[in-house]
C-alpha cells in the first residue's frame, strides 16, 4: 500500500514536471464528478470518447452531457477532427518517467488521444509500475504485444526553433491525467 | 587554400550558428547530467553497446527473423540493398496506389537516400512534418544536426521563411509560429494517403518498430494515412523486445537531456485505419524497408563495424568543439564525427576523406557516446586509409616521414630555424610567421628556443643522495620551444630526491606522424625511442606532455604489437610511463614539505589527452590545491583549446575560433593564471591569454622553498 503511494507520488511529480496535470479520484462517483468539473473548467463544447472496458462502467457519455458539452458524431476521423477534448483510458503508467502506456490499436483510442487539443487520460492506480522495464514485461507476459502501443509522457512539445520549449505542436497541448484510485488509496489521502 | 578550408571560413563567418550551438551545448551538458540522476550512464551504455554488438554479429539472422515476424503480423517487408532500390520501391508503391500526397516524420534514413527529391521528381507532394524538418524543407537546406535539424536558424529567419513560403504574415514569436505550423501541417496530415517514417529501433523477436518523437508528428504520420512506409537501417535491429529499454533510457537523455520523449510508439504489424474519405480499413498497409546501403559492408569491416552500434543520439555532435563552430559544414547528410564515418560507407569515400581532416582528435565525443564507440579512433583509422590511398601531400611527407625520424637532421633543422626566426621575434614572442601568416594573426606565439632542453640538462639541480632515478622523456615542444618546463620538472624532482636522466637518443614521440595517418613512420620513431629509453634502469619514465604519454603508453604497444621483439619492450615501457603530475601526486608527501604556499588564483585547463585518455586531470588540480593555490574552475574546463597539433596549421581560422571560446571560459573564471599540463595547450592558450599560462611543473617549481634540494 505504502509502495503504491510512493509510485503515485513519483508518477505525479514526474508527469507534472513534464507539463501534465494530474488529478485523483478514489471512487467511480468521484471520478465522474471530477471529469464533469474538468470539462466545465476547460470550457470545451465537443468531446470525443474512446470505448474501453475501463471507461464503460463510468458511463461518461452522461457526464459529458451533464457538463454541458456534447459527444461528437460522424466518422472516427470527423469526430477526432471536431473534438476539443479526447478521452481515452490507459492500462499502465510508469512512475520513474511519468509515462502513460496504452494499447492504442483501436482507432478511436489512437485518434482521440492525439488529434484534439486537450487529452483527458484515465488510468487505474493499480496500473502503476516502477519503470519502463516493468511496463514492457507486463505486455510480454500477456503473450503477443499489441499492434500499436503508445507511451505518452506529458503534452506534445517542440524546441525546434531556437531551442525554446513550446507546448502543443501536433499532439495535444494539454494532458489531463485522472488516477482512478482504489478504496485503499483513500486512507492515505 | 583548399576547398574545405574555404568552406570552413565561410561557416565561421556566420557567428549565429556557433553562438546557438555553443549556448545549447553548455546547457546540454548540465541538463544531461541531471537527466541521468539515479542512473549509471556507464552501465547503461555498456548494455546498449552489448546489445548492438550482438546485432552486428547476428545481423543477417536478425534481419531474417524480423522479416518473418513482421510479415506474420501483417507487414510487408522489403530488403533494399541500395538507396536506389529503396527509393524505387516507395515510388512504385505510390504509383500503384495512385497516391499523390505524402507526409513524413523525421527520418535520417530517408535523408540518406535523398527520398524527398526523388519522390518530388515523380510528381508527388511530400511534406516533412517535424517542425525543424519542415522549416529545413521550406528553406531548401539540409539538416544541420541529427536531432535538431534547424538549430542553426533564428526565429526571425523562420518567420521570414513562413512569410515567403506559406504566404502568411507571422510575428517572429515562437509560440505563434508553432501554432501556425500546427494548423498548416494538420491539413496535410488529414489529406495524405501515405505516411513515411523512420524508426529508432527494429525488434527482430517481434517484428516491432519503435519511433520516438516529441511533437507527436510520428504518431499522426503512422495513424492517419492509410498506407504507412517505414524506412529503417539494418543497424537499428535489436534481438529482443526487452532490448529497447536501455535504448529508451539512453537515447532521449543523451540527445536532448530528456528522461523520455513525449511519445514512444511501438508498431507491430498492421493495425486499423480510416482513409481521408472516411472509409474504415481493418488492416492498413504497412511496408517496412530494411535498408542496407553499405551497412553489410560496414559490418564486414573489422574496424568500422563498431560504428553500426550508433543509435543516432547526436551527443557526439553536441559536445564536439569543431561541430560547435561549424554546424552542418562538419559532415554531409549525417553530421559531426559519426557523420564522417557514416559518409564513408553510405555516401562515398572521397567526401569522407575530406571531412575527416576536420576532427581535431580531442576525444570528447567518446565520453558521451550512447554506445561507447571510439569515434576519434575510427576517424584516425579512416585517416590512415585515406593516407594509404592518397598519401599525405609533399610538405607533410618531407616533414613527417623525411625529417622527423632522422633525429640529428631534425635537431639541426630546428636549430637553424631557431636562428632564422630572429627577425620575427619581438620581446620573446613570434609576431609574424613567413608561410603561415594566419597562425600569428592577432596573437603572439612562442618562438623556438635558441638553447633546446637537451643542451641544458647539465645545469639541472641534482640531489646529493638520490632516492631514485627517473627517466625524462621531453618531447619536441618542451625540448625546442618550452625548455623551461623541462627545467621545472628537473627542479621539482630534484626536491623529491630523484635523479633525472634525459637519454640523448630520444626524439619526437611520433604523435604528429600517427595523427597524420602515417603508422609506418610512427613505428620507426617508436623503435628509436624505445631503444633510447629501455637502456636505463629507472623507477619511472616521466613526460610533461600528455600526448607523449599517450604515445608511449598506449600507441607504441598498439603499433608494435605484431612484432615479438618489440612487444615485450613496449609492455615494460608502458608500465613505467607516467605523466609528471600523476607521478608527483602519488608521492606528494615527499614534495609538500619543500613547497612555499602558492599564492595564486588559478584556473585549470583540462588537456584532452590528460583528461580523456589518461584520466589524470584531477591530480594536477589536487597538487595545486595542496600547495595552497586558490582554484577557480572555468566552465567548461574540458573543452579543447583548439590546438590539435597539425590541425592548427591546416585550419588556423577554425583553431582560432575554438580558442576564442576557450578564452571566454578562462576569462570568465576570474583567475590570473591558467594552469595546464600540456605544452601544446600552453602554446595555444599562451598566445592569446593576457594573464599567465603555466605548466603545473612550472608553478610547483616556482614555489620551491629551496632552489636546490637539501
Ligand atoms: S574527437 Fe573531438 S573534434 Fe573529433 S569528432 Fe570527437 S569531439 Fe569532435
Ligand atoms: S556515435 Fe555515439 S554519440 Fe554519436 S550519435 Fe552515435 S550513439 Fe550517439
Amino acid at each position: 500500500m505504502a509502495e503504491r503511494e510512493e509510485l503515485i507520488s513519483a508518477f505525479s511529480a514526474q508527469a507534472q514536471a513534464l507539463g501534465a496535470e494530474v488529478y485523483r479520484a478514489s471512487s467511480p462517483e468521484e471520478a465522474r464528478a471530477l471529469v464533469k468539473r474538468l470539462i466545465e473548467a476547460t470550457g470545451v463544447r465537443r468531446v470525443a470518447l474512446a470505448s474501453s472496458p475501463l471507461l464503460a462502467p463510468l458511463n461518461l457519455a452522461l457526464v459529458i452531457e451533464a457538463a454541458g458539452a456534447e459527444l461528437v458524431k460522424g466518422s472516427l476521423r470527423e469526430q477526432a477532427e471536431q473534438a476539443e477534448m479526447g478521452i481515452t483510458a490507459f492500462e499502465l503508467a510508469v512512475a520513474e518517467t511519468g509515462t502513460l502506456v496504452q494499447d492504442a490499436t483501436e482507432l478511436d483510442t489512437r485518434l482521440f488521444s492525439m488529434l484534439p487539443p486537450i487529452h483527458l487520460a484515465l488510468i487505474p492506480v493499480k496500473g502503476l509500475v516502477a519503470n519502463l522495464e516493468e511496463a514492457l514485461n507486463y505486455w510480454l507476459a500477456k503473450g503477443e504485444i499489441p499492434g500499436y502501443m503508445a507511451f505518452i509522457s506529458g503534452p506534445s512539445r517542440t524546441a525546434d526553433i531556437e531551442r525554446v520549449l513550446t507546448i502543443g505542436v501536433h499532439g495535444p497541448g494539454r494532458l489531463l491525467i485522472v488516477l482512478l484510485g482504489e478504496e485503499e488509496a483513500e486512507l492515505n489521502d | 587554400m583548399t576547398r574545405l578550408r574555404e568552406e570552413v571560413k565561410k561557416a565561421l563567418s556566420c557567428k549565429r550558428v556557433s553562438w546557438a550551438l555553443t549556448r545549447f551545448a553548455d546547457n546540454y551538458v548540465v541538463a544531461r547530467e541531471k537527466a541521468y540522476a539515479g542512473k549509471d550512464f556507464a552501465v547503461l551504455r555498456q548494455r546498449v553497446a552489448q546489445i548492438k554488438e550482438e546485432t552486428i554479429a547476428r545481423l543477417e539472422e536478425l534481419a531474417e527473423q524480423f522479416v518473418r515476424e513482421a510479415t506474420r503480423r501483417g507487414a510487408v517487408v522489403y530488403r533494399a540493398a541500395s538507396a536506389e532500390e529503396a527509393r524505387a520501391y516507395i515510388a512504385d508503391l505510390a504509383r500503384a496506389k495512385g497516391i499523390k500526397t505524402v507526409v513524413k516524420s523525421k527520418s535520417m534514413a530517408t535523408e540518406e537516400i535523398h527520398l524527398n527529391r526523388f519522390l518530388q521528381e515523380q510528381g508527388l507532394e511530400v511534406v516533412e512534418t517535424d517542425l525543424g524538418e519542415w522549416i529545413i524543407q521550406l528553406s531548401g537546406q539540409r539538416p544541420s544536426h541529427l536531432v535538431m535539424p534547424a538549430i542553426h536558424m533564428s526565429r526571425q529567419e523562420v518567420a521570414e521563411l513562413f512569410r515567403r513560403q506559406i504566404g502568411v504574415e507571422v510575428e517572429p514569436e515562437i509560440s505563434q509560429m508553432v501554432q501556425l505550423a500546427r494548423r498548416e501541417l494538420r491539413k496535410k496530415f488529414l489529406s495524405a494517403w501515405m505516411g513515411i517514417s523512420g524508426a529508432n529501433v527494429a525488434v527482430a523477436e517481434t517484428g516491432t518498430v519503435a519511433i520516438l518523437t516529441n511533437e507527436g508528428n510520428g504518431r499522426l504520420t503512422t495513424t492517419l494515412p492509410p498506407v504507412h512506409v517505414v524506412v529503417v537501417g539494418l543497424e537499428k535491429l535489436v534481438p529482443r523486445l526487452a532490448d529497447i529499454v536501455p535504448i529508451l533510457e539512453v537515447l532521449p537523455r543523451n540527445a536532448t537531456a530528456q528522461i523520455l520523449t513525449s511519445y514512444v510508439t511501438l508498431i507491430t504489424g498492421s493495425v486499423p485505419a480510416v482513409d481521408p474519405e472516411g472509409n474504415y480499413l481493418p488492416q492498413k498497409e504497412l511496408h517496412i524497408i530494411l535498408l542496407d546501403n553499405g551497412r553489410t559492408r560496414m559490418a564486414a569491416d573489422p574496424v568500422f563495424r563498431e560504428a553500426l552500434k550508433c543509435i543516432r543520439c547526436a551527443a557526439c555532435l553536441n559536445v564536439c568543439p569543431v561541430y560547435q563552430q561549424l554546424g552542418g559544414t562538419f559532415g554531409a547528410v549525417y553530421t559531426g564525427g559519426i557523420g564522417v564515418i557514416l559518409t564513408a560507407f553510405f555516401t562515398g569515400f572521397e567526401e569522407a576523406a575530406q571531412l575527416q581532416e576536420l576532427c581535431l582528435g580531442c576525444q570528447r565525443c567518446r565520453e558521451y557516446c550512447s554506445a561507447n564507440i571510439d569515434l576519434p579512433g575510427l576517424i584516425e583509422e579512416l585517416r590512415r586509409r585515406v593516407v594509404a590511398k592518397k598519401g599525405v601531400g609533399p610538405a607533410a611527407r618531407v616533414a613527417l616521414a623525411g625529417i622527423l625520424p632522422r633525429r640529428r637532421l631534425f635537431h639541426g633543422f630546428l636549430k637553424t630555424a631557431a636562428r632564422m626566426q630572429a627577425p620575427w621575434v619581438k620581446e620573446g614572442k613570434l609576431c609574424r610567421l613567413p608561410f603561415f601568416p594566419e597562425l600569428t594573426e592577432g596573437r603572439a606565439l612562442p618562438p623556438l628556443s635558441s638553447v633546446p632542453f637537451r643542451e641544458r640538462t647539465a645545469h639541472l639541480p641534482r640531489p646529493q643522495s638520490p632516492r631514485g632515478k627517473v627517466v625524462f622523456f621531453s618531447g619536441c615542444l618542451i625540448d625546442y620551444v618550452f625548455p623551461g618546463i623541462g627545467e621545472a620538472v628537473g627542479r621539482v624532482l630534484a626536491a623529491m630526491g630523484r635523479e633525472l636522466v634525459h637519454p640523448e637518443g630520444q626524439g619526437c614521440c611520433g604523435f604528429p606522424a600517427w595523427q597524420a595517418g602515417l603508422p609506418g613512420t610512427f613505428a620507426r620513431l617508436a623503435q628509436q625511442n624505445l631503444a633510447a629509453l629501455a637502456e636505463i634502469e629507472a623507477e619511472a619514465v616521466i613526460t610533461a606532455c600528455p600526448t607523449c604519454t599517450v604515445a608511449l603508453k598506449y600507441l607504441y604497444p598498439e603499433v608494435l604489437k605484431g612484432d615479438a621483439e618489440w612487444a615485450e619492450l613496449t609492455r615494460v615501457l608502458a608500465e613505467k610511463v607516467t605523466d609528471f603530475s600523476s607521478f608527483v601526486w602519488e608521492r606528494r608527501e615527499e614534495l609538500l614539505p619543500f613547497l612555499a604556499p602558492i599564492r595564486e588564483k588559478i584556473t585549470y585547463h583540462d588537456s584532452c589527452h590528460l583528461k580523456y585518455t589518461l584520466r589524470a586531470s584531477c591530480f594536477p588540480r589536487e597538487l595545486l590545491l595542496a600547495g595552497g593555490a586558490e582554484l577557480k574552475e572555468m566552465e567548461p574546463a574540458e573543452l579543447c583549446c583548439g590546438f590539435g597539433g597539425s590541425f592548427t596549421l591546416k585550419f588556423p581560422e577554425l583553431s582560432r575560433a575554438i580558442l576564442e571560446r576557450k578564452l571566454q571560459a578562462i576569462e570568465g573564471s576570474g583567475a590570473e593564471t591558467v594552469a595546464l599540463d600540456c605544452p601544446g595547450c600552453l602554446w595555444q592558450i599562451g598566445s592569446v591569454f593576457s594573464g599567465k599560462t603555466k605548466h603545473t611543473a612550472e608553478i610547483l617549481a616556482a614555489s620551491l622553498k629551496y632552489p636546490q634540494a637539501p
Side-chain angles (χ1 to χ4, degrees), chain B residues 626-661:
Chain B
E630 186 186 338
L631 205 56
K632 297 177 89 74
E633 290 287 354
M634 64 177 103
E635 288 296 334
E638 83 269 17
L639 195 77
C640 179
C641 67
F643 176 62
S646 57
F647 177 85
T648 193
L649 294 176
K650 264 193 240 160
F651 303 105
E653 298 86 4
L654 179 54
S655 167
R656 187 55 199 267
I658 297 170
L659 175 60
E660 255 342 293
R661 166 99 181 83

Side-chain angles (χ1 to χ4, degrees), chain A residues 77 96 110 113 115 144-145 147-149 151-153 155-158 160 162-163 168-171, chain B residues 39 72-73 129-130 132 148 155 179 182 186 190 214-215 219-220 222 224 262 264 266 268 272 274-275:
Chain A
R77 257 188 194 241
E96 186 179 275
R110 219 176 330 139
S113 61
L115 262 58
E144 289 224 310
I145 71 157
Y148 200 107
M149 279 188 67
F151 293 67
I152 299 179
S153 313
S156 153
R157 61 180 56 215
T158 185
D160 273 356
E162 289 192 7
R163 300 301 303 145
V169 205
H170 297 299
Chain B
K39 295 273 161 192
R72 189 172 68 77
R73 296 287 296 259
T129 60
D130 170 83
M148 301 169 291
R155 67 186 77 186
Q179 284 315 307
R182 179 184 170 105
R186 185 56 69 87
L190 290 168
N214 277 313
E215 298 179 358
R219 284 208 49 189
L220 296 183
T222 59
L224 288 169
S262 301
V264 176
L266 304 188
T268 310
V274 244
D275 70 21

Side-chain angles (χ1 to χ4, degrees), chain B residues 235-475:
Chain B
E235 83 289 2
K236 295 281 176 72
L237 284 164
V238 297
R240 295 154 295 267
L241 191 64
D243 295 333
I244 70 171
V245 173
I247 296 178
L248 289 180
E249 292 192 318
V250 170
L251 182 53
R253 284 183 170 90
N254 244 15
T256 48
Q258 281 178 281
I259 289 173
L260 198 60
T261 50
S262 301
Y263 303 102
V264 176
T265 303
L266 304 188
I267 299 173
T268 310
S270 170
V271 289
V274 244
D275 70 21
E277 286 161 4
N279 306 309
Y280 181 85
L281 315 162
Q283 294 264 292
K284 78 188 277 185
E285 277 198 38
L286 173 65
H287 296 257
I288 303 174
I289 299 180
L290 266 184
L291 179 68
D292 190 321
N293 199 31
R295 287 159 173 85
T296 309
R297 201 158 53 83
M298 206 168 194
D301 188 297
V303 180
F304 288 113
R305 69 205 304 264
E306 195 185 345
L308 288 174
K309 294 195 295 193
C310 173
I311 61 169
R312 312 276 189 271
C313 70
C316 56
L317 278 64
N318 296 344
V319 300
C320 171
V322 174
Y323 180 79
Q324 281 171 22
Q325 294 300 327
L326 299 182
T329 303
F330 183 22
V333 169
Y334 295 98
T335 45
I338 186 67
V340 173
I341 304 298
L342 298 181
T343 301
F345 283 83
F346 300 169
T347 314
F349 186 78
E350 290 300 316
E351 199 168 349
Q354 282 263 311
L355 290 171
Q356 55 80 19
E357 295 196 38
L358 286 170
C359 167
L360 57 62
C362 76
Q363 315 285 320
R364 195 177 184 205
C365 51
R366 209 180 51 188
E367 285 301 296
Y368 288 81
C369 178
S370 293
N372 223 347
I373 299 172
D374 177 10
L375 208 44
L378 293 184
I379 296 174
E380 269 178 9
E381 171 66 16
L382 182 65
R383 187 167 300 162
R384 280 193 288 276
R385 294 193 193 179
V386 171
V387 169
K389 219 169 152 182
K390 301 167 176 264
V392 287
R397 176 145 293 279
V398 172
L400 296 172
I403 301 178
L404 217 50
R406 301 194 172 81
R407 198 173 47 74
R408 279 174 213 292
L409 182 65
F410 181 51
H411 182 63
F413 178 80
L414 289 175
K415 287 281 282 187
T416 313
R419 273 200 309 281
M420 281 172 49
Q421 70 187 352
W424 294 283
V425 176
K426 289 205 180 67
E427 289 164 16
K429 297 277 185 189
L430 206 49
C431 294
R432 207 188 124 78
L433 268 176
F435 310 120
F436 298 112
E438 305 89 344
L439 259 191
T440 41
E441 221 169 84
R443 62 169 160 170
L445 291 172
L448 289 165
S449 170
S450 50
V451 185
F453 178 71
R454 57 179 63 235
E455 291 169 17
R456 300 180 182 206
T457 50
H459 309 295
L460 289 178
R462 272 170 215 291
Q464 312 262 293
S465 42
R467 218 179 296 171
K469 192 195 281 180
V470 293
V471 167
F472 183 50
F473 183 85
S474 56

